[in-house]
Amino acid sequence: MTAIALQDRLFIGGEFVDAVGGGTVEVRNPHDGSLLAEVAEGQAADVDRAVEAAQRAFPAWAATAAAERGRVLFQLADAIEAHADELARLESTDTGHPLKDTTLLDVPRTAAAYRYFGGIADKFEGSVVPVDAGFLNYVRHEPIGVVGAIVPWNFPLLFTSWKLGPALAAGNTVVMKPSELVPLSTLRLCELMVEVGLPPGVVNVVPGYGHDAGARLAAHPGVGKVSFTGSTRTGRSVVEASAGNLKRLQLELGGKGANVVYADADLEAAVNGAAFGIFHNQGQACIAGSRLLLHEAVADEFLDRFLALAGTIRVGDPLAPGTEMGPLTSPEHRDRVLSFVKVAEDEGGEILLGGTAPADPALAAGCYVLPTVVRAEPSARVCQEEVFGPFVTVSTFADDDEALALANGTDYGLGGSLWTRDLARAHRAAAAFRTGMVWVNCTKRVGPGSPFGGVGQSGYGREMGFEAMRGYTEPKSVWVNVDAAIPAWYPRS
Ligand code: NAD
């Protein structure tokens, strides 16, 4: 597919090594099912080796000046930009993201994350706390130690940076398990880490299956924190596995984002935003706007325009320049997404658009699903469960109270969007949404300085910004008696 040789081995202690068990995992192109690579299958024993390497590297990395840690992250950002085209193609080939998206979003945002955390490394200050006279109390932010990072398949390159950036800036070392489906960009990144001089063992990457390598990482007694992005169900098993040594956890789990269009919305913007919210990356985004909630006064007009737009989205080869939606990332996931069509119909839902694979024979071997729009009752399974595909439900509301009740009417709480010209309504709703993120007259915006994460079944803890730095450090409170006259114990009579 590209001129570069794909890296297919584990990265442990600064070297590319075979898996102890000698097994491999096939990595396939979701566009046509062709074999891209057979990647070494990391198992529990490999995770153990990687944790040992990370433990050995930790003291020196933690003692490295914060500015120097930052400098390495800057260099990594530079290297990513220098290889931007290659990384974009690799990510598109492995995941199915349209090349336009990986070029304009995934790769630049990845570089931006490393650069942001490179910059924050020596600006994340401790504090001096005003306490009783005669005492100095200060707080140091110390790295936790070895961090386990478990990443899903929907944005592998980007999510890797969201975890590695703050973890490394704060002085931790890392063992990362990418998704077994899409490990290629993460392994390529390891080669760039070697090039920029990241010390051996500071980052270790063990691709492998979740039930084996992932579960070992979540349970490993030498790991101080696990940062997990993935499904709510797996998140629960990570919580259970982490109990042995009371790991710190940060969980970015599923979502069922509401996209609320009020009667006074700019419909042109709302239609375009709603389409981006659900069809970007084929809807495989935890922050996808997968529930359209429309005020009944504008529902018909909105839907006409939305369906017209969705029906003309160019679905096809992710590497073709005009493609707006590529394949889903795996055949199993495509089948799962399509299975929700029957789930919708069984509960009285009406398929307004799509619901099938495209008819184009050129796409028959790929994991394609057409943009799908379903009218459904808010209580229906398709309005409650995460489909994680180009599949959006439509329901209507009569007033602001009902809109809020519907928006907050799932167990998830990651992100939500709202479209209105009324400033007071916007702020009222933003405050009342039970989510970690709200977008007003926009959708799915993210930035490395802005906290990212959810509430409820969408998890806890935050990525990005100073919140992330707090999550990758332990505060240590140091008390110093600076007045010799103060007795160490109360005076005895
Ligand atoms: P998943 O939970 O199946 O897998 C996520 C990762 O966990 C993979 O690397 C997998 O191998 C690993 N894993 C699986 N079983 C494990 C176990 N028992 N112990 C440890 N690790 C294990 O999720 P997925 O299908 O890869 O990704 C899709 C899900 O991720 C969706 O639910 C989506 O909403 C969620 N997601 C959330 C966010 C967020 O920031 N909130 C972002 C992206 C994706």
Side-chain angles (χ1 to χ4, degrees):
M1 60 117 216
T2 64
I4 57 151
L6 297 176
Q7 181 53 250
D8 58 8
R9 297 202 291 170
L10 317 180
F11 183 63
I12 297 179
E15 292 176 355
F16 291 96
V17 297
D18 291 321
V20 170
T24 56
V25 180
E26 289 185 349
V27 176
R28 292 190 175 272
N29 182 337
H31 166 60
D32 58 10
S34 60
L35 186 66
L36 292 172
E38 293 186 72
V39 172
E41 182 200 338
Q43 294 179 326
D46 300 296
V47 170
D48 291 352
R49 283 197 294 164
V51 172
E52 281 161 25
Q55 285 173 322
R56 278 195 300 277
F58 175 68
W61 183 246
T64 299
E68 173 58 18
R69 293 197 299 261
R71 197 180 62 82
V72 178
L73 292 176
F74 289 144
Q75 287 181 323
L76 191 57
D78 291 345
I80 288 166
E81 283 170 349
H83 295 84
D85 291 346
E86 171 211 321
L87 285 167
R89 288 184 77 80
L90 180 61
E91 191 78 331
S92 287
T93 308
D94 200 6
T95 63
H97 297 201
L99 189 59
K100 193 166 148 193
D101 289 343
T102 52
T103 303
L104 296 178
L105 297 177
D106 301 46
V107 172
R109 284 180 175 180
T110 299
Y114 287 115
R115 194 161 283 124
Y116 175 86
F117 285 108
I120 213 173
D122 61 353
K123 295 165 195 71
F124 184 56
E125 297 173 351
S127 58
V128 176
V129 184
V131 291
D132 292 342
F135 290 91
L136 167 67
N137 177 241
Y138 60 94
V139 179
R140 294 162 47 83
H141 298 298
E142 299 188 342
I144 294 168
V146 177
V147 168
I150 303 178
V151 186
W153 46 260
N154 55 335
F155 290 97
L157 188 65
L158 187 64
F159 286 163
T160 298
S161 70
W162 290 13
K163 298 190 189 307
L164 287 181
L168 299 181
N172 302 282
T173 55
V174 179
V175 176
M176 173 166 279
K177 195 204 82 64
S179 163
E180 61 277 13
L181 293 170
V182 290
L184 298 179
S185 60
T186 310
L187 291 172
R188 178 69 183 115
L189 189 76
C190 295
E191 295 177 328
L192 298 182
M193 287 179 197
V194 173
E195 274 176 45
V196 303
L198 190 75
V202 170
V203 172
N204 308 273
V205 173
V206 184
Y209 290 108
H211 63 82
D212 189 333
R216 176 60 181 158
L217 193 53
H220 199 295
V223 172
K225 165 176 174 155
V226 164
S227 172
F228 172 79
T229 301
S231 62
T232 301
R233 197 175 61 160
T234 307
R236 270 196 208 99
S237 51
V238 169
V239 173
E240 284 164 17
S242 72
N245 68 332
L246 300 177
K247 285 182 185 62
R248 291 184 62 163
L249 288 180
Q250 174 226 324
L251 303 171
E252 303 288 356
L253 308 178
K256 193 71 186 173
N259 203 349
V260 182
V261 181
Y262 293 92
D264 64 351
D266 172 344
L267 283 195
E268 172 77 9
V271 165
N272 284 317
F276 178 73
I278 187 61
F279 299 127
H280 164 241
N281 199 28
Q282 298 73 254
Q284 301 168 126
C286 50
I287 53 174
S290 51
R291 289 183 298 143
L292 262 177
L293 305 176
L294 308 177
H295 190 279
E296 52 196 28
V298 291
D300 288 347
E301 185 186 349
F302 180 97
L303 257 185
D304 285 349
R305 291 163 73 165
F306 183 72
L307 291 171
L309 173 58
T312 55
I313 288 176
R314 290 188 293 272
V315 180
D317 181 349
L319 297 183
T323 294
E324 294 169 323
M325 251 181 60
L328 303 192
T329 297
S330 70
E332 295 76 20
H333 188 56
R334 173 203 54 205
D335 295 347
R336 179 177 179 274
V337 169
L338 287 174
S339 75
F340 274 98
V341 173
K342 180 160 186 325
V343 171
E345 287 170 340
D346 285 350
E347 289 184 296
E350 183 188 354
I351 312 300
L352 302 177
L353 187 75
T356 62
D360 183 352
L363 305 181
C367 310
Y368 290 90
V369 174
L370 288 174
T372 299
V373 183
V374 177
R375 197 195 301 273
E377 287 299 317
S379 60
R381 276 183 61 196
V382 285
C383 295
Q384 295 292 320
E385 297 177 20
E386 187 181 45
V387 178
F388 215 60
F391 187 111
V392 66
T393 61
V394 182
S395 316
T396 56
F397 63 87
D399 58 30
D400 287 19
D401 287 345
E402 192 183 6
L404 185 61
L406 294 180
N408 287 341
T410 77
D411 293 337
Y412 291 110
L414 193 55
S417 298
L418 61 101
W419 303 82
T420 177
R421 289 190 171 95
D422 181 334
L423 194 59
R425 166 185 282 146
H427 288 297
R428 244 187 351 259
F433 271 26
R434 197 181 47 79
T435 56
M437 293 165 285
V438 178
W439 298 280
V440 177
N441 295 328
C442 59
T443 193
K444 284 177 67 178
R445 302 301 307 182
V446 296
S450 182
F452 184 102
V455 302
Q457 298 298 299
S458 294
Y460 48 77
R462 293 293 182 271
E463 308 211 88
M464 315 291 233
F466 281 82
E467 294 295 337
M469 293 298 285
R470 275 187 273 280
Y472 282 100
T473 50
E474 293 288 5
K476 178 185 280 176
S477 173
V478 180
W479 288 82
V480 184
N481 181 342
V482 292
D483 182 350
I486 295 178
W489 197 23
Y490 55 82
R492 306 187 68 197
S493 50

